[in-house]
Amino acid sequence: MLDVKDFSLFEKQNNFDFKSFLIKIVSYWKWFIVSLAITFFIAYQVNIRKQKIFGIDTTIGVSDENNPLFTSNTSLVFNWGGTSDKVQSIATTFKSRSHNEMVVDSLQFYTDYFIKTDYYYKDVYGQIPFKVTIDKSKFQLYNQFVKFKMTSSNTFQISIPFTQSSVEVIKYADGETKFVSVNPNEFVANYRVNQVVDLPFLSFILTINDKVALKTNQEVLVRFNSFNQTVSKYRKINISIDEKAASILRLSLEGTNKERMVDYLNSTVEILKKKQLDNKNLFAKNTIAFIDETLSSMENQLKDSGNELKDFSRNNNVLDIQDKGAQFKGQLLEYDVKKDEVERKIAYLNTLKNYLTKSVDFSKLPAPTVAGIEEPNIVNNVAKIIEFSIKRSDLKYTSKGNIFYQRLDSEIESIKKVLLENINSLRLALQYDLDKVNSKLAEIESDIRKLPESSQQYLKISRKYNLSDNIYNTYLQKRSEASIVKAANLSDIKFIDPAKDVGEGLLGPKTKVNYVLALLIGIIIPLVIIFLFFFINNSIQNIEDISSVTKIPLIGIVGIKHNENNLSVFERPKSALSESFRAIRSSLQFLYKKQSKDGAKTLMLTSSISGEGKTFCSINIATVFALSEKKTIILGLDLRKPKIFDDFNIRNEIGTVNYLIGQKTLDEVIQKTHIPYLDVITSGPIPPNPSELILSEAMKEMMNDLKKEYDYIILDTPPVGLVSDALEIAQYSEVILYVVRQNFTKKEMLTLLNNRTKRGELNNISIIFNGYENKAKYGTGYGYGYGYGYGYGYGYSNGYHEEEEPKGFFNKLLFKLFKKQK
């Protein structure tokens, strides 16, 4: 488990100890492996459980396509507006409800095809060898799976698990829904391909998709969804206008099935292209319909006039009659044609005025030029009012709110006012022209009355026929012009890049990105935890921490023990840990020599709090002195919490307390150990007044007597940070060793130690750094914890120290590898 004691907050340091932090990071490599394993497992699960999301797009251009057959001689106007208004209008139409309803209905995209996988239902539209085409006028099972299975190349099976006695059905022609009765069991039936399946709850034809290889017995789930919900989903199509080319639109969809999105994008453009071209040709259609209606009535008039002329010719000498009226025939035709043209214009204006004042839909107005009106104001304004009327008709499907209607109604009303004024002005001018033509015709008719009766009758009949023939030919020409212009019209929408599956477009889940994120998160999470603990905790981590807090010298570094008791030096005399205590012994001898101390030498060990290894260090320092054949004794002065007895298999029934209170003599409290030259005086029973006993004269006598018998006296005292006993004992010691344990001793304890030394409460004090473990060494946790080389690296200590095999499979493996490399 992660030990909070392994991290510290550096006080009285201005710089971040990156080296120490890095050591801690490497030392907890197992945390990183666990974290990475978890994050990579999550990434893997995300990748396999989520469907892939793709993006498909298409690009179209919007422009004003002028009719290539439209010239100054063409008597119809079909082109108005501009791309600036059309682009936004087309973009809005692509999102409109009415347009998407047409696309969904034409593709029957309310029908879903699924295959069930381990984690989700996969949309397999276009990826299965069949297609279901429903009869929209009949009811279909609503929002429930129907299982389809191809049993052969021309037969299939459907099955429906009915759980209730009635099911909901829907008729897509009008959206009607109802409930029909069914048998609450699984319905299973077999049919042939292209056979009409007509059931109370299903009506469809199944056709084969030759583009997909046939897979028999593959179960496909088909479901018929809500029409309106399907339309709403596709109304979310993304549309963007190119910033550099405002006439370029990019349409895109996101989903799990690329075939479905390709079909929808291409269909939505094709349907709008057709609709836009139909609207563009509406002017021509209206004109052709008007001309056809006029020609139908003119055919009868022309036929009657022709028959009447034939009858007259058979009963009279036409040649003689023609000669007498020849001078008037041409004049009559000329003015009759002019009169008819003016009257047709006036009649159109009257009809247009009546239409404008009484109607609200102007999309069916014929072109003014069909009546010979070429006044630019009237021609252009009629074209505009038709355009705005079509826009208003489409607006109810593309927008909400009255503000858009009000704008168009305002535009239409303005055009109506201008048109009515133009109509009145032109009608006055035409009436003047009509009066002049009638005056000329009256003069000619007056001269004709002077001719014989037969000549007058012939001129009357031929005049009527020629006028009808001229008018009929004129309308035929107009109709031909309208048909040519209609056929040559082009849509303003064109494909630049149709939607196509080119094997790209993956939006997510990004499997590689997920694994990269898993790697980063797997590293960051334990790194953040280590970082937080590194700053939250305030324990001593390394030698630099000690030197940064105190100026008290460091006398030695002791590693971690790996035997059950505290007799590490005695049981493993050649271990690196034993060498560390020998190094401390050498340093102590230097200190004693510096003091010019002869005779018995005393050494006191204390610490901040319990658990820092004070007793462990006392026993092993005493052991190294004893192994050098120096009479050594350990004096247990921790009267409150006695410890030194279990490791030597001795009892704590009598000891220092018994001597100090006068119950026992010194010889009676000294106990021999199994280590040569090493004796022990345990603390004995716990007294009620330990401080007073230490301050007694008996304590001085005991120390004087021990100095006569022993070379080294090791005083094991209570923690100086908890009780004052150690301060009282310090007077009997030439050297004081203060035990600091890695990841345990707090830095503020060393600050208190500094204050005590400054006040002179503790003198000749040095520090032992106990429990040191450089986990980053070799990257395995193998280092000081398995023996501290104290100046020698792993390879150089070979032959000098006993090699202790580390614990743990991974550490043992690396230990063996290093051993082979030596």
Side-chain angles (χ1 to χ4, degrees), residues 639-658:
L639 306 183
R640 303 169 190 265
K641 193 175 181 181
K643 290 183 179 179
I644 303 178
F645 51 89
D646 285 339
D647 296 299
F648 298 106
N649 294 321
I650 59 178
R651 304 180 70 176
N652 190 37
E653 293 178 354
I654 59 173
T656 303
V657 173
N658 301 95

Side-chain angles (χ1 to χ4, degrees), residues 362-374:
F362 310 108
S363 60
K364 297 182 180 180
L365 283 175
T369 50
V370 76
I373 297 176
E374 297 181 357

Side-chain angles (χ1 to χ4, degrees), residues 60-86:
I60 63 172
V62 180
S63 59
D64 269 326
E65 289 290 348
N66 292 319
N67 197 310
L69 299 179
F70 182 77
T71 64
S72 59
N73 296 325
T74 306
S75 300
L76 298 170
V77 174
F78 300 99
N79 300 277
W80 60 85
T83 57
S84 59
D85 198 28
K86 287 181 181 176

Side-chain angles (χ1 to χ4, degrees), residues 126-272:
Q127 302 169 12
I128 53 176
F130 66 86
K131 180 181 180 182
V132 176
T133 304
I134 67 168
D135 186 346
K136 301 174 187 176
S137 63
K138 295 185 178 181
F139 287 97
Q140 313 294 334
L141 186 62
Y142 181 57
N143 204 23
Q144 183 174 342
F145 282 128
V146 180
K147 298 178 183 179
F148 280 75
K149 183 166 60 176
M150 297 296 300
T151 54
S152 69
S153 60
N154 58 358
T155 60
F156 66 94
Q157 182 186 88
I158 64 171
S159 60
I160 309 170
F162 291 125
T163 58
Q164 297 180 349
S165 58
S166 64
V167 292
E168 188 177 9
V169 292
I170 183 172
K171 187 196 299 181
Y172 285 102
D174 54 13
E176 180 186 354
T177 60
K178 69 175 184 178
F179 285 88
V180 297
S181 298
V182 294
N183 188 6
N185 292 311
E186 184 173 13
F187 173 84
V188 180
N190 294 285
Y191 300 96
R192 298 183 64 83
V193 173
N194 296 322
Q195 176 186 352
V196 176
V197 178
D198 193 1
L199 299 169
F201 47 83
L202 277 180
S203 183
F204 66 91
I205 295 177
L206 185 142
T207 56
I208 293 297
N209 181 4
D210 296 329
K211 296 180 181 179
V212 181
L214 179 65
K215 293 182 180 179
T216 57
N217 297 321
Q218 181 186 38
E219 191 174 87
V220 178
L221 302 175
V222 178
R223 183 177 64 192
F224 304 105
N225 300 311
S226 166
F227 181 82
N228 291 330
Q229 289 180 2
T230 305
V231 171
S232 298
K233 180 177 70 174
Y234 286 104
R235 288 184 67 184
K236 297 176 183 178
I237 183 173
N238 298 314
I239 301 175
S240 58
I241 301 175
D242 196 299
E243 295 179 356
K244 297 181 179 179
S247 61
I248 303 298
L249 285 175
R250 180 176 175 272
L251 285 67
S252 61
L253 282 173
E254 296 179 5
T256 59
N257 187 290
K258 292 193 282 187
E259 288 85 352
R260 186 182 290 273
M261 291 186 290
V262 167
D263 287 352
Y264 196 88
L265 287 173
N266 289 332
S267 295
T268 192
V269 175
E270 289 291 353
I271 290 175
L272 188 58

